[in-house]
Structures are given as structure tokens and as C-alpha cells.
Amino acid sequence: MSELSRRLLEEFESQGYGINEIAREIDKLKIEVVRDFLKKSDDDTVYVIKRSGNLEEYNSDKVTRSIKNAADRNDKQLNSSDVEILIKDIEKSMQEMDRKVFRTDEIKEYVKNALVSEGYSQIYDSYVSYIQAQN
């Protein structure tokens, strides 16, 4: 265990945090540290913290692929203009947060919200089962 990890654990334990609270706080801390680091940069790149903990550049093609895969699983087809509208909705939600870093699960929520708000309830259902199958 690193010195930093040991100190964090001691601090959390002294505050009476349970394991779930510690995990939530560490997740928030990771976003805050990355966000604060990126604030120092003039770079406008948006990043995603993957479930594995890796940080990678946001790529709308990956979001597009997941939406299309969900639609295909339900034998529904989306044309490119439909997908563009959904991507714009998702990215608008991200911009409203005024951040440069997002967790994967946050982006999935934005996708679900966009599907519902644009009237794609069947694809929403398929998307939910698609992401559950990937977990």
C-alpha cells in the first residue's frame, strides 16, 4: 500500500466511512483530480474514465456504435440523421456540465435520456439490455 493510500484509508476510517462510502469518495476524487489537472491545460479535449479506471479521449463514434448495436439487437434501424440528433443531445448534456472528464456510466445516462427525449422508447429498452449484457 502506498503512503497516499494508507493516509486516505486512515482519513476515511477516522470519519467512520464504510467500504461503499469509501468507494464512492474515491470515484469522486478521481474525477476531481483529473478535472483539476485538465483545468491547467488549454486543451479542449473531453475525456472518459472507463470502468477499468483508464482515461481515454471521448469518441462519439463509440457512442454511435453502442446506439446502433442496441437498435440492431431490437431489429430497429436508425438513419444517420437520427443518430446525429442523438449525439448532439448527448454532447449538449455533457457541455452543460462544463467539465472535461466524464465517467462511462454518466455518458450511458445521457444516451438513455436522449433516446427517451427523442421518442426512441423501443431502442431505449434495447439499449438498457445491451449495456446490462456488457456489464
Side-chain angles (χ1 to χ4, degrees):
M1 176 180 291
S2 73
E3 179 66 18
L4 179 59
S5 296
R6 187 184 61 72
R7 286 184 183 187
L8 279 172
L9 185 56
E10 286 173 0
E11 178 62 25
F12 288 135
E13 288 175 337
S14 74
Q15 299 291 322
Y17 283 41
I19 188 65
N20 290 326
E21 293 168 307
I22 291 171
R24 272 192 303 276
E25 288 299 315
I26 289 173
D27 281 345
K28 286 194 294 189
L29 181 63
K30 186 173 192 173
I31 288 176
E32 290 172 4
V33 168
V34 171
R35 181 197 63 215
D36 291 348
F37 178 82
L38 292 172
K39 276 184 181 177
K40 298 175 190 176
S41 160
D42 291 335
D43 184 8
D44 286 335
T45 305
V46 174
Y47 295 91
V48 178
I49 297 177
K50 307 299 283 182
R51 284 185 305 151
S52 66
N54 291 338
L55 184 70
E56 63 180 54
E57 232 178 275
Y58 166 76
N59 183 340
S60 64
D61 292 342
K62 289 184 176 185
V63 178
T64 296
R65 192 172 342 137
S66 69
I67 293 169
K68 286 183 176 181
N69 286 344
D72 289 346
R73 285 182 66 169
N74 204 21
D75 293 327
K76 303 291 180 197
Q77 296 299 313
L78 289 173
N79 62 41
S80 32
S81 64
D82 293 334
V83 174
E84 282 180 34
I85 290 168
L86 291 167
I87 294 297
K88 284 181 183 175
D89 286 356
I90 294 160
E91 290 176 350
K92 181 180 179 206
S93 295
M94 293 168 72
Q95 289 169 352
E96 288 172 355
M97 294 299 292
D98 194 30
R99 295 188 345 227
K100 292 183 181 182
V101 61
F102 296 87
R103 292 184 322 273
T104 300
D105 62 320
E106 290 178 299
I107 294 174
K108 288 176 182 176
E109 286 301 314
Y110 299 144
V111 172
K112 292 191 290 189
N113 292 340
L115 287 168
V116 168
S117 70
E118 295 296 338
Y120 296 107
S121 59
Q122 290 180 331
I123 296 173
Y124 168 87
D125 294 337
S126 183
Y127 181 78
V128 169
S129 55
Y130 172 78
I131 60 176
Q132 286 174 344
Q134 292 201 319
N135 291 337

